[in-house]
Every structure is written in C-alpha cells, then in structure tokens.
Amino acid sequence: MSTTAKASDHVKPCNIAQSERHNRRDEDYMKSLNPAKLYIRVDLSQNNTSYVAPEMEGISLQQHYDHIKEMVKLKTGRAMQEKDVEYTDKKGKVRVRKGCSPIRESVVNIKENTSLEDLITYTQKVESRWGIKAIQIHLHKDEGHYDHPQDIESWKPNYHAHIIWDWMNHQTGKSFKLDANDMSEMQDLVAGTLDMERGQKKSETGLDHLERNDFIIKKQEDKKKMLEEEKRKALAE
C-alpha cells in the first residue's frame, strides 16, 4: 500500500468515568488538562466526528453498564462478577479470575482522511464476524505533540479513533471470548477496511501497545534524546 500509516486496534476495558469526558471534550475535562502537557489543539477539534448507536441516544455509559448488570442477572441468575478474584487452584497456586469487562474501548490508528463512515463499516464487519456491537465511535484529529513546543509548525498529529464496544452476548448474558487468533484477525480486518498497512504483530515485536498519553510522552522523550545526542556530537566535533 502507498500509505505509511500503520493500522492497529488496541482493545482494553473502558474507563467509564473518563471515556465520555475525553471523547466528547467536555468543558470540565479540557480545563483539567495540564497546559504544559497539552496534547489537544482546540482549534482542530472541529475536525472531530462522532457516532452514537440509536439505542444509546440519551443514555450514558454508566447507565448502559447498569442495564448490562441487570441483563446478566436475568439471563444467568447470578450477579455479574465486576472485580478480579484471587483463588487457589488444585496445585496450590494462587491465580486471578478476571472480572467482567462488559464495555470495552478500542483506540484505532487512522489516516488524516479516514471518515466516520469508514469506521462504521469496520464495526459492522466486527459485529458480523463476532457479534460485538459498537455503541459509540469518536474520531479525534486534534491530538498530537510538538517536536518543538514553541514552534507551531512542528506539530505532529496523532490521528486515531475511539470505539466503545458492548462486549456482551445479550442472548446468553455472557461476554464474548476472543483468543489471540481472533485479535490478530481483527487487526487484519481494520487494516483492510481502512486501506492501511497492517501494524507489526505483537508476537513479532514482543511489545505491548502504548497508551495514548504514554505514546505522546515517549515521542517527546525520544525527540529530546535525539536533540541532546546531536548537540553532544556537535560539541565533540
């Protein structure tokens, strides 16, 4: 493919308390950001777009989470296990039974010209393949970092989208189970749908995906180290 952008879909449990505030750029959220580490350009926020599933109109993620808890109790007869639980197996080894993550959030790398329709098409393919339904999509084209904080021309955008998934099978009251092969297939699917080069497989790199803020900080630190190294070499010469 001609583009150098690498596609990836990093799925994690959704932080319900923060997700909507960040994705919708709530006023109180914007005021809470540290100006010295601001990675959002308000003048570019007009380029952001969002989708909310019809059944989610007027319903917060917390309300939907509560509805899921009721659904699980109704379908299974048991309360949804929300927290991790430690237990000892038959060999005496302490293990952890993960709590349920009924709402999950993807951070998807995109291109500058990726549209909301492109992401909707991707989520429709995911739902058709695994049954997992997207309830919100937010394209962010106002985030990034400055190579040189005082130079606006040094802005490097971090184009991405947040997809909020309902990770529950509402027929059984159980969560969908995707293994490593499924997650790899999901990376193939997002790359093909968005017409992007597939990112290198985790099995090949041995590295986990970086969170958004960690990614920005790492880019800034790498740039700083490079400039310091160039300065050191220049002084040595």
Coordinates of all heavy atoms in Angstrom, one line a residue, residues 10 13 17 31 34 36-37 53 60 79 88 126 137 152 157 162 166 170 172 198 207 220 233 237:
H10 N -6.3 -1.3 19.4 CA -5.9 -1.7 20.8 C -7.1 -1.7 21.6 O -7.7 -0.7 21.9 CB -4.8 -0.8 21.3 CG -4.4 -1.0 22.7 ND1 -4.0 0.0 23.5 CD2 -4.4 -2.2 23.4 CE1 -3.7 -0.5 24.7 NE2 -4.0 -1.8 24.7
P13 N -10.4 -2.7 28.6 CA -11.6 -2.3 29.4 C -11.9 -0.8 29.4 O -10.9 0.0 29.5 CB -11.3 -2.8 30.8 CG -10.3 -3.9 30.6 CD -9.5 -3.5 29.4
A17 N -15.7 6.3 33.7 CA -15.7 7.6 34.4 C -15.0 8.6 33.5 O -15.3 9.8 33.6 CB -15.0 7.5 35.7
K31 N -10.5 21.8 31.0 CA -9.9 22.7 32.0 C -9.0 21.9 32.9 O -8.1 22.5 33.5 CB -11.1 23.4 32.8 CG -11.8 24.4 32.0 CD -12.9 25.0 32.8 CE -13.7 26.1 32.0 NZ -14.7 26.7 32.9
N34 N -3.3 19.7 32.0 CA -2.1 20.5 32.3 C -1.7 21.2 31.1 O -1.3 20.6 30.1 CB -1.0 19.6 32.8 CG 0.2 20.4 33.2 OD1 0.4 21.5 33.0 ND2 1.1 19.7 33.9
A36 N 0.9 22.7 30.3 CA 2.3 22.4 29.9 C 2.4 21.1 29.2 O 3.4 20.9 28.5 CB 3.2 22.4 31.2
K37 N 1.4 20.3 29.3 CA 1.5 19.0 28.6 C 0.3 18.8 27.7 O -0.2 17.7 27.4 CB 1.5 17.8 29.6 CG 2.8 17.9 30.5 CD 2.8 16.7 31.4 CE 4.0 16.7 32.3 NZ 4.1 15.5 33.3
A53 N -24.8 4.9 18.7 CA -25.9 3.9 18.2 C -27.2 4.4 18.6 O -27.4 5.0 19.7 CB -25.6 2.6 18.8
S60 N -26.1 7.3 29.1 CA -24.7 7.4 29.4 C -24.1 6.0 29.5 O -24.8 5.0 29.6 CB -24.5 8.1 30.7 OG -24.9 7.3 31.8
A79 N -25.1 -12.6 39.8 CA -24.7 -11.2 39.7 C -23.4 -11.2 38.8 O -22.6 -12.2 38.9 CB -24.4 -10.6 41.1
T88 N -7.2 -20.2 44.7 CA -6.1 -21.2 44.7 C -6.5 -22.4 44.0 O -7.6 -23.0 44.3 CB -5.7 -21.5 46.2 OG1 -5.4 -20.4 46.9 CG2 -4.5 -22.5 46.2
V126 N -17.0 -6.2 12.3 CA -16.7 -6.9 13.6 C -17.9 -7.5 14.2 O -17.9 -8.7 14.6 CB -16.1 -5.9 14.6 CG1 -16.0 -6.5 16.0 CG2 -14.7 -5.4 14.1
I137 N -18.6 5.8 18.5 CA -17.3 5.9 17.8 C -17.0 7.4 17.8 O -17.8 8.3 17.6 CB -17.5 5.5 16.3 CG1 -18.0 4.1 16.2 CG2 -16.2 5.6 15.5 CD1 -18.3 3.6 14.8
I152 N 4.8 26.2 16.3 CA 3.5 25.6 15.9 C 3.6 24.7 14.6 O 2.9 23.8 14.4 CB 2.4 26.7 15.7 CG1 1.0 26.0 15.6 CG2 2.7 27.5 14.4 CD1 -0.1 27.0 15.6
P157 N 0.5 15.4 14.3 CA -0.8 14.9 14.7 C -0.8 13.4 15.0 O 0.0 12.6 14.5 CB -1.7 15.1 13.5 CG -0.7 15.1 12.3 CD 0.6 15.7 12.8
H162 N -11.7 6.4 18.8 CA -12.1 5.6 20.0 C -13.4 4.9 19.6 O -14.3 5.5 19.2 CB -12.3 6.4 21.2 CG -11.1 7.1 21.7 ND1 -10.4 6.7 22.8 CD2 -10.4 8.2 21.3 CE1 -9.3 7.4 23.0 NE2 -9.3 8.4 22.1
D166 N -20.0 -2.8 23.2 CA -20.8 -3.7 24.1 C -20.3 -5.1 23.9 O -20.6 -5.7 22.9 CB -22.3 -3.5 23.8 CG -23.1 -4.3 24.8 OD1 -22.6 -5.3 25.4 OD2 -24.3 -4.0 25.0
H170 N -26.1 -10.6 24.6 CA -27.3 -10.4 25.3 C -28.3 -11.5 25.2 O -29.4 -11.5 25.9 CB -28.0 -9.1 24.8 CG -27.2 -7.8 25.2 ND1 -27.8 -6.9 26.0 CD2 -26.0 -7.4 24.9 CE1 -26.9 -5.9 26.3 NE2 -25.8 -6.2 25.6
T172 N -27.2 -14.7 25.9 CA -26.7 -15.7 27.0 C -26.3 -15.0 28.3 O -26.2 -15.6 29.3 CB -25.4 -16.4 26.5 OG1 -24.4 -15.5 26.3 CG2 -25.7 -17.1 25.1
R198 N -0.9 -3.0 7.7 CA -1.1 -3.6 9.0 C 0.1 -3.4 9.9 O 1.3 -3.5 9.4 CB -1.3 -5.1 8.8 CG -1.8 -5.8 10.1 CD -1.5 -7.3 10.0 NE -2.2 -8.1 11.0 CZ -1.9 -8.2 12.3 NH1 -0.8 -7.6 12.7 NH2 -2.6 -9.0 13.1
L207 N 6.3 -6.4 22.0 CA 5.9 -5.2 22.8 C 4.4 -5.0 22.9 O 3.7 -5.4 21.9 CB 6.5 -4.0 22.0 CG 8.0 -3.9 21.9 CD1 8.4 -2.8 21.0 CD2 8.7 -3.8 23.3
Q220 N 8.0 12.6 22.7 CA 8.7 13.8 23.2 C 10.0 13.4 23.8 O 11.0 14.1 23.5 CB 7.8 14.5 24.2 CG 6.5 15.1 23.6 CD 5.6 15.6 24.7 OE1 5.6 15.2 25.8 NE2 4.7 16.5 24.3
K233 N 27.3 15.5 19.9 CA 28.2 15.3 18.7 C 28.8 16.5 18.1 O 29.9 16.6 17.8 CB 27.4 14.5 17.7 CG 27.1 13.0 18.1 CD 26.4 12.3 16.9 CE 26.1 10.9 17.3 NZ 25.4 10.2 16.2
E237 N 32.7 17.6 17.9 CA 33.4 17.9 16.7 C 34.0 19.3 16.7 O 35.0 19.5 16.1 CB 32.3 17.8 15.5 CG 31.8 16.4 15.3 CD 30.7 16.4 14.2 OE1 30.3 17.5 13.8 OE2 30.3 15.3 13.9

